[in-house]
Amino acid sequence: KKLYQLCLLSFLYSSFTTLLMAKVFPSEKERCQAWLSSFISIYNPESEEVNLQNRYIEEIPSSIASMESLTKLNLSNNQIKEIPEELCTMTQLKKLLLCGNLISCEGIPENITNLSQFTQLSLSNQMTYIPESIYDLNSLNYVYFSDNDFSSMDFTDSILKLTNLITLSLNNTYLNHIPDQICNMTFLQS
């Protein structure tokens, strides 16, 4: 019974917050950004996973770095254009899912290499090449670069530094052939 009451209270609070935000922030974009900021401020510091996909989020607030225990962050299918440098201070983060956004190569900070525990990265966006800093993420097991336009990209031997890679997804990247460097990655399983 207490669990039911807690769920009902949570639903009512959520509904009230949605109505209030509709009055204060008339556009969907403003509501979503305000919702994200309020979410971060009431975030349970013991939570390890956050799923905020399909929320019309345009930018990741720098306050996201306060979510120190976070290991998985799913911001897929939003309208994000860049990864803030503050996110790269989240040393516990292992999985970052950003597919279906508007992130270009310039939107990936150099200090992404600080995420030394990274095991999964999904960047199916508007990239035309893989930034060199990605190749320094040695702990990566799963990388999804699907739906980027790599038609004019030349793969370098730097990709061979990803020795823990199990899965490399390059679906719909307009590659004309499989680069030799990828053929030499005998540790890949898919």
Side-chain angles (χ1 to χ4, degrees), residues 44-64:
N44 178 354
E46 295 177 17
S47 296
E48 293 184 358
E49 296 186 9
V50 171
N51 183 348
L52 295 172
Q53 62 183 354
N54 301 310
R55 301 277 182 170
Y56 305 101
I57 297 168
E58 289 189 346
E59 66 181 58
I60 305 170
S62 57
S63 58
I64 195 124

Side-chain angles (χ1 to χ4, degrees), residues 18-32 34:
T18 302
L19 286 171
L20 179 65
M21 290 180 84
K23 291 259 186 212
V24 177
F25 303 104
S27 79
E28 183 72 18
K29 178 176 106 173
E30 290 173 321
R31 273 196 298 278
C32 291

Side-chain angles (χ1 to χ4, degrees), residues 164-188:
N164 290 313
L165 210 53
I166 296 169
T167 298
L168 174 62
S169 177
L170 295 169
N171 299 335
N172 302 319
T173 56
Y174 307 103
L175 287 173
N176 296 325
H177 67 285
I178 299 173
D180 291 338
Q181 291 86 349
I182 293 175
C183 294
N184 293 332
M185 299 176 82
T186 57
F187 40 85
L188 281 178

Side-chain angles (χ1 to χ4, degrees), residues 138-149:
N138 299 354
S139 59
L140 280 174
N141 299 127
Y142 306 95
V143 177
Y144 302 93
F145 286 130
S146 303
D147 303 315
N148 288 298
D149 185 0

Side-chain angles (χ1 to χ4, degrees), residues 14 16 78 98 179:
S14 177
F16 173 75
N78 284 293
L98 291 167

Side-chain angles (χ1 to χ4, degrees), residues 79-90:
Q79 298 166 358
I80 298 166
K81 294 180 180 150
E82 64 182 7
I83 300 170
E85 292 199 15
E86 291 82 3
L87 186 136
C88 299
T89 64
M90 300 173 68

